[in-house]
Amino acid sequence: MDNVKHGDDNLSAILVIFGGTGDLTHRKLMPALYNLVLDQLLPEQFAIVSVGRRTKTDEEYRNEIYASIDKHSRNKINETIWRKLQNMIHYYEFDFTNLEGYVGLKTFLEEIDEKAYTKGNRLFYLAVAPEYFETIVQGLQISDMTKQQGSFSRLIIEKPFGKDLITARKLNNKLLEVFEENSIYRIDHYLGKEMIQNIMVLRFCNSIFEAIWNNRFIDNIQISLTEKLGVGTRGGYYEHSGAMRDMVQNHIMQILSMVAMEPPVNLRTESIRTEKQKVIEAIEEITPEFLRDNVVFGQYGKGVIDGTPVTSYREEGNVPENSSTETFVALKLHINNFRWAGTPFYIRTGKRLGRSSAEIVVQFKELPNILYFEKHEVQEPNLLVLRIQPQVGVFFQFNTKDFNTHHDIVPTKMDTSAISPNQGNTPEAYERLIYDILRGDATLFSRWDEVEAAWTVADKMIRYREQKKFQFPNYDAGSMGPIKAFELLAKDGRKWWNV
Ligand code: BG6
């Protein structure tokens, strides 16, 4: 991708952040904006208007932002860079549920526009709880803030996009009344992660991988997004979300589609999104038998993480003591197309597990065990692991003869993540995503039909969990999930890899 350096005034815009005093703005957006200024990727003519309910001066707000950048940025604060960013930031006090107030905001933005030469371009970032999306979009609509001749106007929203297929459709229809589909940027921050973007390069720039990336050579693929963290202060949100809506419907479906998609005809946004969408469409039908045999739900009980005792999910703040919300999901599914028929995809995600990591493990089929079986009844399979976090890079396992014993066969492990020069300092996903929004590149954002297809799959599983009473809690904090998640693979003669 071309880097557009400072001063490219085609990117001039006002970024309007609804939820300017919220967690997302402090922890992710502002540190990302700081690093974009540092890397000279923001144009000179750029302004940030943070909308918040509380009364504060620009100076007070900027001081708070300084402290957050200091805490969360991947780079230490350089005062010259900070001054540049600081001059771009404005605080606007406004209760965004008050529809009459949008006219005032419009006038404020017009004033900033004149001073900052931002050409009427607007990015509206809804860093607020999803129940406010429709209200804000309506406010933008009635104040006629989104359609300026010769300027762009883009909407940025964070998941969850609805709470099921029906509400997602309703929300989407509302958004489409005001914004074109290609001006809506649905953030899935996993797509901004370095290794997720690397999936396409690894697959489509290496003949040794792409030639065997199919059901003839791959035994199974595992996608694991596991966290040691519990729900913390987000109990109120999580209780209505659960792991299915929080992780599977979005992040995992997106990763699955990148891993399994056909090569796009070119690198244009729509070509890539179309191939991703087809993968989700090809997921096998979710029948009652599928739900019974292939889905495991879990909820954490109390336990110990890194030597510290932690409470059960039901004891977390804003969680009812008889909660039936899942904090863990394991799934086995098939993608019914020519490339993947017969190769299972195993998926697992959960909170309060014994390990925090995000990985994709590709297990290749074994060769006939004819030649070396006497001494080595079990040979390790070839494994390709795409390490998304905390390590970033690729791990590959293959068999070689042991130098020392002269006869043993040993698995050799190549791990580029250990030597990655970027390790520990990969650009924050939000930097990449904000920069792409500014350039109008929607490749790393979800298109509506992808979201819709993912809801179609997830909805059936969520309804099953809601209707069937599971015995929760069913795993200890600090373990790797319920026993049934291990049995899911064991009954196929497989296991979760942890390499
Ligand atoms: C978010 C979920 O989308 O992703 C959180 O709402 C989860 O519950 C987080 O913890 C995980 O993201 P990351 O980047 O920390 O792996």
Side-chain angles (χ1 to χ4, degrees):
M1 179 207 302
D2 298 336
N3 276 358
V4 183
K5 288 295 176 192
H6 224 53
D8 181 337
D9 61 3
N10 291 327
L11 306 188
S12 299
I14 304 180
L15 171 64
V16 186
I17 307 178
F18 290 90
T21 54
D23 200 49
L24 180 68
T25 306
H26 278 275
R27 286 195 312 122
K28 302 278 186 186
L29 305 186
M30 289 296 181
L33 287 161
Y34 171 80
N35 285 302
L36 287 172
V37 177
L38 183 71
D39 291 345
Q40 301 187 15
L41 293 173
L42 278 193
E44 299 280 357
Q45 289 83 21
F46 192 77
I48 301 161
V49 172
S50 282
V51 175
R53 246 177 271 219
R54 280 162 253 171
T55 309
K56 51 184 96 212
T57 62
D58 275 353
E59 197 189 348
E60 283 164 344
Y61 182 71
R62 288 169 180 169
N63 288 342
E64 289 167 13
I65 293 300
Y66 182 95
S68 298
I69 295 174
D70 195 32
K71 190 156 167 212
H72 299 291
S73 164
R74 68 190 168 89
N75 287 302
K76 277 198 166 326
I77 296 194
N78 166 313
E79 294 300 325
T80 315
I81 302 298
W82 162 246
R83 270 194 298 281
K84 270 192 182 170
L85 177 65
Q86 161 180 285
N87 293 336
M88 294 176 178
I89 300 177
H90 308 269
Y91 182 74
Y92 186 75
E93 182 190 337
F94 168 48
D95 175 357
F96 53 68
T97 59
N98 167 18
L99 291 179
E100 282 152 24
Y102 281 80
V103 183
L105 175 62
K106 185 183 184 190
T107 312
F108 184 71
L109 296 183
E110 284 165 357
E111 284 164 18
I112 301 275
D113 210 28
E114 278 197 11
K115 287 187 217 146
Y117 304 106
T118 43
K119 301 180 168 178
N121 294 330
R122 306 277 190 268
L123 308 171
F124 297 104
Y125 201 124
L126 310 196
V128 297
E131 59 261 34
Y132 297 117
F133 289 176
E134 289 194 41
T135 313
I136 295 175
V137 169
Q138 199 182 346
L140 298 176
Q141 183 182 30
I142 56 180
S143 58
D144 205 16
M145 236 189 280
T146 58
K147 302 229 158 60
Q148 305 225 36
Q149 274 283 269
S151 315
F152 64 74
S153 194
R154 296 178 185 143
L155 180 75
I156 304 134
I157 52 175
E158 292 268 342
K159 65 144 223 304
F161 315 123
K163 66 180 175 58
D164 53 23
L165 182 59
I166 292 174
T167 52
R169 276 195 182 134
K170 182 169 164 280
L171 168 66
N172 199 54
N173 289 340
K174 178 73 208 173
L175 304 184
L176 288 176
E177 277 177 25
V178 186
F179 292 90
E180 307 281 332
E181 168 64 29
N182 63 11
S183 299
I184 302 175
Y185 290 73
R186 300 178 188 83
I187 293 223
D188 186 307
H189 78 279
Y190 261 75
L191 294 184
K193 292 187 192 261
E194 175 59 27
M195 270 317 283
I196 301 294
Q197 292 166 43
N198 220 330
I199 294 173
M200 279 183 58
V201 175
L202 276 171
R203 286 190 52 192
F204 304 133
C205 299
N206 291 296
S207 54
I208 55 160
F209 295 139
E210 191 47 28
I212 56 173
W213 206 261
N214 57 49
N215 52 8
R216 278 174 294 145
F217 297 95
I218 294 182
D219 179 79
N220 74 90
I221 295 186
Q222 304 179 6
I223 301 174
S224 286
L225 307 187
T226 62
E227 296 182 89
K228 286 184 182 173
L229 286 177
V231 295
T233 53
R234 298 165 74 222
Y237 151 77
Y238 199 86
E239 178 57 18
H240 299 289
S241 161
M244 280 301 304
R245 293 187 177 101
D246 192 48
M247 299 293 283
V248 178
Q249 189 274 341
N250 33 71
H251 306 320
I252 287 186
M253 288 292 169
Q254 287 291 327
I255 296 175
L256 176 73
S257 60
M258 306 273 304
V259 171
M261 73 187 203
E262 293 302 312
V265 287
N266 54 43
L267 289 182
R268 284 196 210 114
T269 301
E270 296 316 322
S271 311
I272 295 172
R273 288 166 144 195
T274 298
E275 295 307 332
K276 283 169 58 203
Q277 197 267 349
K278 285 190 207 159
V279 171
I280 306 176
E281 290 265 305
I283 291 176
E284 69 184 294
E285 202 191 329
I286 312 295
T287 59
E289 295 71 39
F290 173 95
L291 292 165
R292 187 195 58 211
D293 298 338
N294 297 334
V295 190
V296 177
F297 291 113
Q299 186 193 76
Y300 59 86
K302 59 183 172 9
V304 177
I305 305 249
D306 293 336
T308 308
V310 295
T311 59
S312 68
Y313 174 68
R314 291 177 176 185
E315 292 166 297
E316 303 276 14
N318 297 322
V319 174
E321 59 189 23
N322 60 352
S323 167
S324 58
T325 297
E326 80 285 358
T327 60
F328 177 97
V329 184
L331 289 175
K332 168 185 166 186
L333 54 81
H334 285 93
I335 294 169
N336 283 338
N337 62 19
F338 261 64
R339 187 184 285 264
W340 293 118
T343 294
F345 286 74
Y346 297 99
I347 284 163
R348 77 178 157 169
T349 184
K351 298 227 178 257
R352 281 285 187 240
L353 297 174
R355 185 172 179 225
S356 278
S357 93
E359 280 183 354
I360 302 160
V361 180
V362 180
Q363 178 181 340
F364 292 92
K365 287 190 173 166
E366 287 172 35
L367 293 169
N369 206 359
I370 296 171
L371 298 180
Y372 292 95
F373 70 96
E374 278 174 6
K375 287 198 175 92
H376 312 279
E377 289 188 345
V378 185
Q379 271 175 40
E380 291 288 315
N382 290 144
L383 295 178
L384 176 71
V385 183
L386 312 190
R387 297 198 197 280
I388 303 163
Q389 61 190 36
Q391 282 173 290
V392 183
V394 181
F395 168 100
F396 187 54
Q397 172 176 289
F398 54 101
N399 292 308
T400 53
K401 191 173 76 59
D402 185 35
F403 293 153
N404 302 318
T405 59
H406 298 288
H407 50 77
D408 280 347
I409 292 175
V410 289
T412 302
K413 301 167 198 293
M414 279 181 7
D415 198 347
T416 69
S417 60
I419 52 164
S420 162
N422 292 328
Q423 201 186 338
N425 201 20
T426 55
E428 277 283 313
Y430 278 88
E431 290 169 38
R432 170 67 197 254
L433 296 175
I434 293 173
Y435 182 57
D436 280 2
I437 296 165
L438 208 51
R439 298 185 317 128
D441 181 347
T443 313
L444 296 178
F445 300 82
S446 329
R447 196 169 66 186
W448 165 245
D449 55 356
E450 295 176 63
V451 176
E452 191 175 36
W455 270 124
T456 308
V457 173
D459 254 9
K460 293 192 180 127
M461 298 185 204
I462 294 169
R463 229 172 296 134
Y464 172 66
R465 197 273 294 153
E466 285 170 351
Q467 282 162 7
K468 195 167 150 44
K469 285 274 162 270
F470 287 92
Q471 288 294 319
F472 287 160
N474 59 353
Y475 69 97
D476 291 342
S479 71
M480 282 310 282
I483 304 280
K484 281 199 159 58
F486 293 89
E487 291 170 355
L488 182 69
L489 276 73
K491 67 188 180 197
D492 294 345
R494 299 189 175 100
K495 63 175 183 182
W496 293 105
W497 289 100
N498 195 357
V499 288

